[in-house]
Amino acid sequence: MRSFILLSAAAALTLASPVPQELDFSLIDTVETPSNVTVPTNTDELIVSYDSDAAAAAVQTSVLTGQTEIDISNSTTNSTSSSTLRRRGTCAVQASGSGPVPSPDTASSFLSYSAFASAASAAATPSGYTQAFKNLNASNNAYGYLGFTNLASYDSEKCASKCNAISGCASFNLYFERDPSKDPGTGCEDPSSTTNIKCVFWGGPLTTANANNAGQYRSKFQVVIAGSNGYVNNTIEPADGFTSPSYYGNTAIDAPNDCNDKSTFLGSQVFTGGPFDANLCAAACNAQSATNLKANKPTCKFFNTYILSRNNVAIGQYCNLYSQTWASSYATYKGSNSGGNKYTVSYSYGFSSSADAGTCKKPTTSTWVISSATATASSTATAQPTTSGGFINWKTFQANGANLGGWLEKEQTHDPIWWASVANLSTTPDEWTLCQTLGDQCGPTLEARYASFLNHSTIDQLASVGVNTLRIPTTYAAWVNVPGSALYHGNQQQYLKAITDYAINTYGMHIIVGLHSLPGGVNNLDIGEALMHDDFFYNTTNLNYAYEAVDAILDFIKASGNMTSWTIGPINEASDNLPGFGTSAGLTDKGAQWVADYINGVVSRTAKVDSRIPVMVQDCFKGASFWEPYFDASANLVIDSHVYYFAAAGTYSQYVAPAVCGQASSISLATKFPNFIGEWALQVMFNNNLSDRQLIFNTQRYAWSKYVSGGSFWTAVSYSTALVDGQGTQRDYWSYIDLINEGVIKPESAFNGTAFC
């Protein structure tokens, strides 16, 4: 996968003129205005249950398929006690309420009854709440109705305790309501009244502005309200993986461009049909990150979510996503007008990723001079040091490698034209959904692409410029059939054998065979199994299936006839904390222990076959030194780090070369196990320039060889059509074969021993 290690250069922050993230009117103008809520009178209680996890999952699925208006009403259910249900029908007797009935029994007497005003004025403000208003003659039509209960007395504390027990409850409205003692109709158009004490629950804030329900007529009976108090919880539920929120009130973030004059705005969603829930925006942020990582774009580090109102009526929860955290001083946007409608902001909060707030950094401007030193660059085209029996020794081996990525584990990013020819790009973002869509044709479709994506001539071209190592990602489904998995389990091993036999027997290449995905999902990305899948962690069933895949790889190696030509890579870019993906925070301490235990299990299994077969530990962006305490020094391990500059903050094409050498030197400081750069490429964040590619390539190839045990370029073949910042498309910076054909990549001997570091 194309991930990254961030540059560490610090820089002063300079900001361009602000450019507001205006409301997406094409999105919000079509959102229906919710109907006014009518609190039922045929029961004493109705609670709307809200499943935040189910709603978040629905949001993730919607964002991954490009939807922006997301209805979460399927995550709510109504529950009513059957013992309190009352018969409805003309003149049916209704249960008596617990409040007093004024005399005379008229609406005007009810509204002026002093006992109601006294009760409202004397009511305590419950701990953890703020009183929004007091003693109004109207109830609320607020955001996110969550039900009600009739109380035996006007008790704000009891009402608060019930609200606290309801998922999503942010506020409550307590009031007296004049209701009919019989169901009004022919023969009883204006029956005597009863007084109910209602406690109504809401998933958004209460204000005097949305306290606009003054009652109604039912036949000739007038329903009215008195002693209405509103209370709002002082806190909202936290968003997993994000810091405590900043409250902006009735304003939203109006973000400027960042310190490199680039927009940090990633898009918007609006949620309807449920309570205000910051976890919905967090889910959208994470799903957008997964999508953007797949496309080598900036990930979501910050979101601003608020209640959006049209003409003073709340219509949904709006969510803006950003690649950088913005301070509350940028919360200046109050809304806009569209088509005669006035849109306003309220209940606005901002959340930053607890793993990485996305601080902007300007590029370093160090002058880079290519050394004319007499030192000779390492040659990786010569015979490689081996241990006894012909197995390689990664402490002395120098890999000049290329990944065969996107071949046996399909990635839409690197094969979009083919992908679009067999399925809809937006609804099949990963191989999992592709196979679900293709059904019985998944196998034949994928196998046809395995055969056409690359061939022996690909290996010939790689060898012509000195490539001596192939790193080949596979899915676990190439090795084991996991029940319930949508990934294709078929003849991948036959295609793998045909290519590796040719590479080994013709050119003596070394093969790193890797499990890019693990059962259940290893990082919430398309390459880990499927987007938003991470159930490999803490699941012994999936762990055991992973070991079955490892055993199958070892069987394949034993049967290959070239047992000395292999290294096994049992995991790739594992992360149990998606907001931190690409940084050390992407894998928690608990997750790291799970991964280490798994790796030790792989080492044990490998040793039973032959301990001289190396096991490669992908460092999951923790750094090589992090893993040293987890493994015994006698283990035949090599640490695999991934270094990319396409998402490194403030990385410009002209400033990459000096960073490469420093980074390679830093990685080499971890000495317990040999180090290897398993993935690297040429794309940078800003100002990609086709003429800079050769220098960037040569510098990285040289640095990985000089300081560590070499590296493997991602990837041999890419058909990516995505534009980059600057010149060209991603294919121009990621496809090794194209770079050879364009004369960018040449054998090291063509540079006469130039030292690039």
Side-chain angles (χ1 to χ4, degrees):
M1 160 54 193
R2 302 46 22 240
S3 306
F4 50 89
I5 294 177
L6 296 180
L7 291 174
S8 59
L13 187 67
T14 58
L15 297 175
S17 299
V19 178
Q21 285 70 62
E22 294 184 355
L23 291 167
D24 182 353
F25 294 119
S26 65
L27 167 63
I28 62 176
D29 281 345
T30 61
V31 175
E32 294 185 2
T33 300
S35 301
N36 287 342
V37 171
T38 299
V39 178
T41 59
N42 64 330
T43 181
D44 285 326
E45 184 173 85
L46 182 148
I47 302 299
V48 178
S49 299
Y50 170 64
D51 187 336
S52 179
D53 291 339
V59 168
Q60 288 178 343
T61 300
S62 298
V63 172
L64 293 175
T65 54
Q67 299 178 53
T68 52
E69 181 184 346
I70 304 169
D71 182 0
I72 60 166
S73 58
N74 286 339
S75 302
T76 63
T77 55
N78 295 349
S79 59
T80 304
S81 172
S82 59
S83 63
T84 66
L85 285 172
R86 294 189 285 272
R87 184 167 60 90
R88 292 294 299 271
T90 301
C91 298
V93 175
Q94 305 298 292
S96 297
S98 300
V101 176
S103 180
D105 186 3
T106 63
S108 59
S109 294
F110 190 94
L111 292 172
S112 62
Y113 192 56
S114 61
F116 295 155
S118 297
S121 298
T125 299
S127 176
Y129 285 81
T130 295
Q131 188 164 48
F133 54 81
K134 180 187 294 185
N135 194 32
L136 299 183
N137 288 338
S139 63
N140 295 89
N141 270 305
Y143 182 74
Y145 174 65
L146 291 173
F148 83 102
T149 188
N150 285 334
L151 299 179
S153 62
Y154 194 94
D155 188 342
S156 57
E157 297 286 355
K158 187 169 186 178
C159 199
S161 68
K162 287 182 173 290
C163 179
N164 292 340
I166 297 172
S167 174
C169 187
S171 57
F172 64 88
N173 184 198
L174 178 62
Y175 57 90
F176 297 96
E177 182 173 276
R178 182 178 189 262
D179 290 319
S181 61
K182 296 181 180 180
D183 197 15
T186 303
C188 53
E189 291 86 351
D190 188 14
S192 60
S193 75
T194 187
T195 301
N196 284 305
I197 304 172
K198 291 191 177 293
C199 173
V200 184
F201 311 110
W202 296 95
L206 303 185
T207 65
T208 54
N210 60 37
N212 52 21
N213 176 22
Q216 61 179 316
Y217 274 93
R218 294 180 57 191
S219 190
K220 294 182 180 181
F221 182 89
Q222 187 177 4
V223 176
V224 290
I225 291 157
S228 178
N229 285 4
Y231 301 90
V232 180
N233 200 313
N234 294 333
T235 60
I236 63 173
E237 288 295 317
D240 293 341
F242 292 82
T243 59
S244 297
S246 297
Y247 182 58
Y248 310 137
N250 296 330
T251 59
I253 290 294
D254 188 358
N257 284 353
D258 68 9
C259 64
N260 295 299
D261 199 29
K262 302 294 181 180
S263 174
T264 64
F265 179 62
L266 301 179
S268 303
Q269 293 83 29
V270 63
F271 314 122
T272 61
F276 182 92
D277 183 357
N279 277 294
L280 302 182
C281 204
C285 186
N286 289 338
Q288 192 65 55
S289 288
T291 298
N292 286 10
L293 282 166
K294 186 166 67 76
N296 304 328
K297 295 179 180 179
T299 57
C300 182
K301 307 295 187 184
F302 172 75
F303 64 82
N304 177 203
T305 187
Y306 53 85
I307 289 179
L308 179 67
S309 295
R310 180 196 296 134
N311 304 324
N312 295 320
V313 177
I315 62 170
Q317 178 184 343
Y318 206 73
C319 173
N320 278 338
L321 309 179
Y322 298 86
S323 61
Q324 175 180 321
T325 295
W326 293 102
S328 58
S329 58
Y330 293 102
T332 59
Y333 183 68
K334 296 182 179 180
S336 303
N337 296 325
S338 173
N341 293 314
K342 182 179 181 180
Y343 290 95
T344 52
V345 173
S346 64
Y347 209 54
S348 177
Y349 289 89
F351 291 78
S352 298
S353 167
S354 56
D356 179 8
T359 304
C360 184
K361 296 176 182 177
K362 291 189 71 68
T364 58
T365 56
S366 304
T367 302
W368 175 244
V369 179
I370 297 178
S371 171
S372 57
T374 57
T376 302
S378 300
S379 172
T380 58
T382 58
Q384 300 301 325
T386 60
T387 62
S388 61
F391 289 87
I392 69 163
N393 179 358
W394 275 99
K395 292 182 178 180
T396 52
F397 180 64
Q398 289 295 313
N400 180 7
N403 282 273
L404 302 189
W407 175 39
L408 297 179
E409 48 85 40
K410 297 307 298 174
E411 298 181 37
Q412 188 188 102
T413 299
H414 291 291
D415 207 2
I417 299 171
W418 168 82
W419 203 291
S421 73
V422 299
N424 184 299
L425 291 174
S426 63
T427 58
T428 58
D430 48 41
E431 188 174 330
W432 184 282
T433 51
L434 178 66
C435 280
Q436 286 179 324
T437 299
L438 294 176
D440 292 342
Q441 291 304 304
C442 176
T445 302
L446 288 182
E447 292 205 15
R449 191 53 175 161
Y450 298 155
S452 63
F453 188 77
L454 52 80
N455 51 41
H456 289 176
S457 66
T458 309
I459 307 305
D460 294 336
Q461 282 193 273
L462 295 174
S464 72
V465 292
V467 168
N468 64 3
T469 303
L470 299 178
R471 182 173 179 266
I472 307 179
T474 66
T475 68
Y476 63 81
W479 308 99
V480 61
N481 189 14
V482 175
S485 174
L487 296 182
Y488 173 60
H489 175 68
N491 298 311
Q492 293 98 321
Q493 293 180 40
Q494 294 180 21
Y495 294 93
L496 178 65
K497 182 170 177 56
I499 288 294
T500 55
D501 279 356
Y502 182 77
I504 294 168
N505 296 329
T506 307
Y507 298 107
M509 290 185 179
H510 188 73
I511 310 298
I512 305 164
V513 60
L515 285 170
H516 252 44
S517 67
L518 290 175
V522 75
N523 54 20
N524 282 300
L525 302 181
D526 57 329
I527 57 164
E529 180 184 74
L531 293 173
M532 311 317 296
H533 287 203
D534 66 353
D535 284 341
F536 167 72
F537 288 96
Y538 325 123
N539 185 311
T540 55
T541 299
N542 287 332
L543 176 66
N544 288 331
Y545 279 123
Y547 282 138
E548 287 186 26
V550 170
D551 291 340
I553 292 174
L554 291 169
D555 288 341
F556 181 87
I557 291 173
K558 285 191 295 183
S560 69
N562 296 291
M563 195 165 164
T564 62
S565 300
W566 301 85
T567 292
I568 181 172
I571 199 165
N572 183 69
E573 296 181 351
S575 170
D576 62 343
N577 179 29
L578 180 59
F581 185 86
T583 72
S584 61
L587 186 65
T588 64
D589 289 344
K590 181 181 178 182
Q593 187 63 60
W594 181 265
V595 169
D597 290 344
Y598 166 62
I599 295 295
N600 277 315
V602 173
V603 170
S604 176
R605 280 172 153 75
T606 305
K608 291 178 181 178
V609 175
D610 196 311
S611 62
R612 294 172 295 178
I613 299 173
V615 174
M616 185 166 282
V617 181
Q618 209 291 309
D619 74 359
C620 308
F621 309 104
K622 304 291 277 188
S625 60
F626 172 86
W627 295 101
E628 291 184 344
Y630 287 93
F631 307 114
D632 190 88
S634 63
N636 188 7
L637 297 178
V638 54
I639 307 298
D640 166 19
S641 297
H642 295 175
V643 179
Y644 286 105
Y645 296 99
F646 69 84
T651 313
Y652 282 73
S653 180
Q654 62 267 39
Y655 303 133
V656 168
V660 169
C661 298
Q663 192 159 1
S665 177
S666 176
I667 293 170
S668 71
L669 297 177
T671 58
K672 184 174 181 179
F673 301 106
N675 302 301
F676 169 72
I677 309 303
E679 295 183 17
W680 59 280
L682 303 186
Q683 184 185 345
V684 298
M685 179 173 281
F686 301 131
N687 195 34
N688 286 275
N689 193 308
L690 297 175
S691 64
D692 290 336
R693 292 178 298 171
Q694 189 170 83
L695 174 60
I696 296 173
F697 179 89
N698 286 340
T699 303
Q700 291 192 80
R701 179 171 61 179
Y702 179 90
W704 311 144
S705 177
K706 176 180 174 66
Y707 291 104
V708 294
S709 297
S712 57
F713 184 91
W714 187 279
T715 182
V717 178
S718 174
Y719 297 100
S720 177
T721 57
L723 296 175
V724 300
D725 186 276
Q727 297 177 338
T729 66
Q730 287 182 344
R731 179 174 179 173
D732 295 314
Y733 299 86
W734 294 78
S735 180
Y736 203 107
I737 294 299
D738 287 328
L739 291 165
I740 293 174
N741 292 337
E742 294 173 31
V744 174
I745 298 177
K746 298 178 180 180
E748 287 184 290
S749 59
F751 299 96
N752 299 316
T754 300
F756 290 90
C757 289

